[in-house]
Amino acid sequence: MRNLVLGALCTYLLGCVDASQQQANEKSQGLVYCAEANPVSFNPQVTTTGSTIDLIASQLYDTLISIDPETAEFKPELATSWAVSDKGKSITFTLRQDVAFHSTDYFRPSRTLNADDVVFSFSRLFDVYNPYHFVGDAEYPYFQSVGIDQLIRKVVKVDDFTVRFELFNAESSFLSNIATDFAVILSQEYAQQLIAQKNKAAFDHLPIGTGPYKYKNFLRDNLIRYHRNEKYWKYPVPMQQLVFDITTNGTSRIAKMLTKECDITAHPSATQLSVLKDREDIRVDKAANLNIGYWAFNTERPPFDSLLVRKALAHSVDFDKIMQAVYYGNGILARSHLPPSSWAFQAQDNIPRYNPELAKQFLKEAGYENGFSMTLWAMPVSRIYNPNARKMAELIQSDLKAIGISAQIIEYEWNTFVERIGKHEHDSVLLGWAADTPDPDNFFSPLLSCTATFSGKNPANWCHPEFDLLLTQALDTTDITLRKTYYYQAQQMLIDQLPLIPIAHGVRFQATSNDVTGVTLRPFGGISLGQVRRN
């Protein structure tokens, strides 16, 4: 009997050890990233939301070329080489061979990547005869805002591994835009399968790419699960699984880091950094980032269509106080729409600063001596350019009250927030932009051009033909000196017209468990987790 008990106990204990070892093995082969929002889509072509791009772009897809974050030079990716001819109006790409698309529960590719996939991926943006052009209401916000859909005349398959882009005119930022996280290559074969299944709507939600991970499942407000792409062309992917834990509350994300439920967390706030830095098992990385946080006004809606009112609002807020209370010294007070590290940056000496008496004078001149009521929309997520929009909104609300303006703070769930801003339902909004490329145009065309207004991605709802002409002139030349001249004028015009007030350039922080390596913070673009490993 005693031997039976001992035997049973040993079996039980061995079972516990085996289970514990299995759990440890699973943990070592997987990574959990605490993310701040649900994805808007699983196709980067149809969104510009930074939180979504972080979750999907570099994890699931590849682009033809990329930009080296240190040298800013173009690097080969799915294209091994490229040549520019016809005075910049023709760009020919030679494609990499033997690149496999994802094989999943819902798609089994019968061939590797070829020119048909590239033609399909880009023709969707502008060709009304592409069967997927109108899927998702034909909205391709980044490409429409920078005019790529109007720039490409056609994409030609030269042979199975050669593609030629023919443009209506040369544009100095074309290659930069082709290198963004939005310009991913999709599977034409998968698209054709969904047409046969009469299920084209699934194309942007059940993704197929060539990236380091492939899609497994998504539970809204809970998680996204990816599995390793065993056939990834670029390098062996170390982790078997990548899980994005959707945790919208910043405090909860930090709590999960402390309890080891997450290995990496996005955008810890300045107030949480001291807690994290005291931990020997957590590493806090910090990096400069090309970004701008701003306060935009709906310039098509009274009274914000009045420059005097916009000047009053600009002079009513103590931005130095915001830098202390929101950024905690981890940001740079904006002197222009462009960050100081941009090669086209020029500090604007006449940028509005705190002067409530001058603000009241402007209100009186505009006919609003007794003030007015307005809405102030604050994004519900923490981003590089604005770590705490709610707190910033409350500070602005207090300053506005001092000059007789009553501001109601409006918040929505992130995806709803983005959708309603795109419909210009706001009076004013606290938002921002993190660059996708180091080209200065990336701070202008996607946010403030007339085409960006038409596509719903211009939060100021501002269309100024003279401003657009400056952008066009800057894009029509490769002469850096000339481009700087045009961008200097564009920066000055933004301060003169004040469709938005540039507030600050934030610093990117990331908290990572010390046993995790292979993830780096880039100055532009989304995150890449393909080479992350656990030591």
Side-chain angles (χ1 to χ4, degrees):
M1 182 68 177
R2 182 172 178 271
N3 289 336
L4 277 174
V5 172
L6 283 174
L9 182 59
C10 288
T11 302
Y12 173 77
L13 289 174
L14 285 171
C16 290
V17 170
D18 289 344
S20 177
Q21 185 62 48
Q22 181 181 355
Q23 187 177 27
N25 289 339
E26 289 176 353
K27 178 71 173 175
S28 69
Q29 293 300 311
L31 184 91
V32 180
Y33 184 106
C34 266
E36 72 271 29
N38 289 291
V40 175
S41 169
F42 281 91
N43 182 355
Q45 289 183 331
V46 299
T47 181
T48 57
T49 306
S51 56
T52 297
I53 295 302
D54 283 350
L55 300 178
I56 66 173
S58 295
Q59 325 315 332
L60 297 171
Y61 300 97
D62 293 300
T63 53
L64 290 175
I65 57 176
S66 63
I67 302 175
D68 189 295
E70 295 182 0
T71 66
E73 294 178 345
F74 295 115
K75 294 168 53 181
E77 295 293 343
L78 293 179
T80 57
S81 62
W82 54 96
V84 181
S85 58
D86 191 19
K87 297 181 180 179
K89 292 193 293 183
S90 177
I91 300 93
T92 302
F93 293 92
T94 300
L95 303 182
R96 192 178 300 277
Q97 299 186 29
D98 299 320
V99 174
F101 279 102
H102 296 158
S103 180
T104 68
D105 297 338
Y106 50 89
F107 177 66
R108 295 284 191 275
S110 64
R111 62 168 177 81
T112 56
L113 176 140
N114 65 29
D116 293 325
D117 302 303
V118 179
V119 173
F120 166 76
S121 299
F122 285 96
S123 67
R124 181 187 181 185
L125 308 177
F126 65 89
D127 185 356
V128 296
Y129 295 105
N130 184 299
Y132 280 81
H133 177 71
F134 292 104
V135 174
D137 299 324
E139 292 185 358
Y140 310 99
Y142 181 80
F143 300 102
Q144 290 165 345
S145 64
V146 299
I148 288 288
D149 60 325
Q150 301 298 316
L151 177 67
I152 300 175
R153 187 166 69 89
K154 59 181 176 179
V155 186
V156 180
K157 174 183 177 180
V158 179
D159 58 43
D160 281 348
F161 296 100
T162 310
V163 177
R164 183 174 66 249
F165 286 73
E166 297 182 3
L167 311 182
F168 285 106
N169 54 271
E171 190 170 280
S172 56
S173 67
F174 176 74
L175 284 177
S176 291
N177 286 321
I178 292 297
T180 64
D181 288 328
F182 308 104
V184 296
I185 305 303
L186 310 168
S187 167
Q188 183 205 43
E189 184 184 14
Y190 176 49
Q192 291 172 336
Q193 173 183 296
L194 291 177
I195 291 173
Q197 295 173 350
K198 297 182 179 181
N199 190 24
K200 289 192 291 186
F203 189 70
D204 295 330
H205 303 288
L206 292 175
I208 293 294
T210 60
Y213 294 102
K214 53 189 180 182
Y215 176 90
K216 184 61 180 176
N217 65 306
F218 167 48
L219 299 174
R220 186 175 180 82
D221 297 323
N222 190 341
L223 62 82
I224 307 167
R225 189 185 307 278
Y226 298 147
H227 283 182
R228 175 168 60 198
N229 177 9
E230 302 88 348
K231 297 181 179 180
Y232 190 44
W233 62 272
K234 198 171 186 180
Y235 47 74
V237 180
M239 307 305 288
Q240 288 183 356
Q241 290 192 54
L242 171 62
V243 173
F244 286 98
D245 182 312
I246 310 298
T247 306
T248 57
N249 182 274
T251 302
S252 298
R253 288 199 300 274
I254 297 304
K256 288 185 176 183
M257 277 296 298
L258 299 178
T259 57
K260 302 299 182 182
E261 294 176 68
C262 291
D263 300 296
I264 307 174
T265 191
H267 313 301
S269 69
T271 55
Q272 297 164 345
L273 292 176
S274 59
V275 176
L276 295 171
K277 287 178 179 177
D278 289 339
R279 297 277 298 222
E280 294 182 358
D281 56 342
I282 294 175
R283 180 178 72 256
V284 177
D285 296 316
K286 173 182 177 180
N289 186 271
L290 291 166
N291 65 79
I292 178 68
Y294 57 77
W295 182 21
F297 309 111
N298 189 343
T299 58
E300 288 295 307
R301 176 179 293 187
F304 312 99
D305 55 346
S306 166
L307 177 57
L308 287 170
V309 168
R310 299 198 297 271
K311 284 184 175 181
L313 295 170
H315 285 286
S316 68
V317 177
D318 186 347
F319 291 107
D320 288 324
K321 183 169 63 178
I322 284 176
M323 294 304 298
Q324 296 173 12
V326 176
Y327 294 88
Y328 289 88
N330 291 311
I332 302 171
L333 185 66
R335 296 289 305 280
S336 170
H337 188 65
L338 286 179
S341 54
S342 171
W343 56 259
F345 168 78
Q346 185 182 57
Q348 301 300 304
D349 294 333
N350 64 333
I351 195 166
R353 288 304 178 222
Y354 186 50
N355 190 334
E357 293 306 314
L358 182 58
K360 290 177 183 178
Q361 180 181 324
F362 283 134
L363 281 181
K364 184 177 181 179
E365 292 178 24
Y368 293 95
E369 185 175 2
N370 297 320
F372 55 86
S373 297
M374 62 179 285
T375 59
L376 173 56
W377 291 41
M379 59 181 188
V381 298
S382 174
R383 300 299 293 165
I384 305 165
Y385 44 74
N386 191 334
N388 192 336
R390 174 72 195 197
K391 188 170 187 177
M392 185 183 292
E394 290 171 351
L395 292 169
I396 292 175
Q397 181 186 52
S398 176
D399 285 343
L400 291 177
K401 185 177 180 181
I403 64 167
I405 295 177
S406 174
Q408 178 189 3
I409 299 173
I410 302 292
E411 289 180 301
Y412 290 101
E413 180 271 334
W414 178 234
N415 292 346
T416 303
F417 179 87
V418 171
E419 180 182 354
R420 299 186 74 158
I421 292 296
K423 295 177 180 177
H424 300 128
E425 296 179 8
H426 58 288
D427 288 338
S428 72
V429 59
L430 293 171
L431 262 177
W433 181 259
D436 306 292
T437 80
D439 193 294
D441 184 71
N442 195 257
F443 279 90
F444 296 119
S445 292
L447 296 176
L448 290 157
S449 64
C450 291
T451 51
T453 300
F454 305 146
S455 65
K457 295 303 175 183
N458 181 330
N461 203 9
W462 184 71
C463 176
H464 198 298
E466 291 180 26
F467 182 79
D468 269 27
L469 178 60
L470 288 173
L471 301 186
T472 300
Q473 290 172 317
L475 292 173
D476 282 346
T477 179
T478 57
D479 186 314
I480 293 294
T481 302
L482 269 178
R483 294 192 77 195
K484 282 184 179 180
T485 300
Y486 295 128
Y487 288 134
Y488 289 166
Q489 294 178 51
Q491 291 169 79
Q492 182 62 59
M493 184 175 289
L494 289 178
I495 299 305
D496 290 341
Q497 296 295 317
L498 289 175
L500 53 77
I501 302 170
I503 297 173
H505 311 287
V507 176
R508 182 163 196 162
F509 289 97
Q510 185 169 271
T512 306
S513 293
N514 269 340
D515 62 341
V516 172
T517 59
V519 56
T520 56
L521 297 179
R522 299 188 290 186
F524 51 83
I527 60 170
S528 176
L529 301 172
Q531 297 189 75
V532 173
R533 66 177 67 246
R534 190 185 305 281
N535 295 328

